[in-house]
Amino acid sequence: MAEAARVLVTGFEPFPGAPVNPTEWLVGALRIEPPAIEGIAAFRAEVLPVDYAKVGPRLSEIGREFRPDIAIHFGLAAECSGFRLERVARNSFAGARADNAGALPEPSAICEGPATLASTLPLHAIRERLEAESMPVEWSDDAGAYLCNMVFTLSRAHACEGFAPEMSGFVHVPPTGEGRPLGNAQLLAGALAIIEETVRSRRRP
């Protein structure tokens, strides 16, 4: 059985078109009450900048300070209808749009490495768990062309110095609130289920 894991959860700050980002709220909630899950040696939750120039150095800084074994990245996708489990990171800036600083990268590879990288989270187990708890869940093979896909790619490619999680992946969530697919309480419960299933999978002989 694997040793207890150092677990990182990330979200993002608000960005153009999304003045409220539920993943920023999620990070705050997890900081206030970290998950009490067997198999977690240390836990950290961080809000990442929506800035192409800053996000890589921030991941490197977190990696040097915390050395996560597991990194679960959350982001907002306005059009999704529940927890969207991203299966594939695409190593490309094609179709990117401007970040919070107004920067727009040229169409190119995000980093050295393959064109696509698969999530290493236990996605099928996560889906079964969310469905068992009556949470809306869906699959995706396209994490978009914004910072979400960039972070997913950098995390899976181990492209940031000091940041090399053994398991990592990305989950999109919709806006929360009345009339939305998720409320904040459900968002937190689903995130905890995702964390628990990932830690459980790593510890499985």
Side-chain angles (χ1 to χ4, degrees), residues 44-60:
R44 187 161 171 173
E46 293 288 339
V47 175
L48 299 177
V50 179
D51 187 309
Y52 294 110
K54 292 180 179 179
V55 73
R58 182 67 187 122
L59 288 176
S60 290

Side-chain angles (χ1 to χ4, degrees), residues 105-175:
E106 294 292 327
S108 63
I110 293 168
C111 61
E112 291 186 10
T116 60
L117 301 106
S119 173
T120 47
L121 301 182
L123 297 180
H124 289 283
I126 288 170
R127 177 169 184 163
E128 289 177 0
R129 173 70 178 275
L130 292 174
E131 287 180 338
E133 297 189 11
S134 300
M135 302 275 190
V137 58
E138 60 192 40
W139 292 115
S140 171
D141 291 320
D142 185 355
Y146 204 35
L147 272 292
C148 295
N149 180 66
M150 182 182 180
V151 166
F152 189 8
T153 300
L154 293 176
S155 184
R156 283 293 297 114
H158 296 172
C160 299
E161 183 181 358
F163 192 85
E166 175 187 331
M167 301 173 71
S168 68
F170 203 97
V171 179
H172 271 117
V173 299

Side-chain angles (χ1 to χ4, degrees), residues 80-98:
C80 67
S81 59
F83 291 94
R84 178 179 288 177
L85 308 182
E86 299 293 347
R87 290 185 281 212
V88 181
R90 300 187 181 279
N91 188 5
S92 173
F93 279 124
R97 64 184 193 273

Side-chain angles (χ1 to χ4, degrees), residues 187-201:
L187 172 61
L188 178 57
L192 290 171
I194 291 167
I195 295 165
E196 185 170 26
E197 287 302 320
T198 303
V199 171
R200 182 180 295 169
S201 174

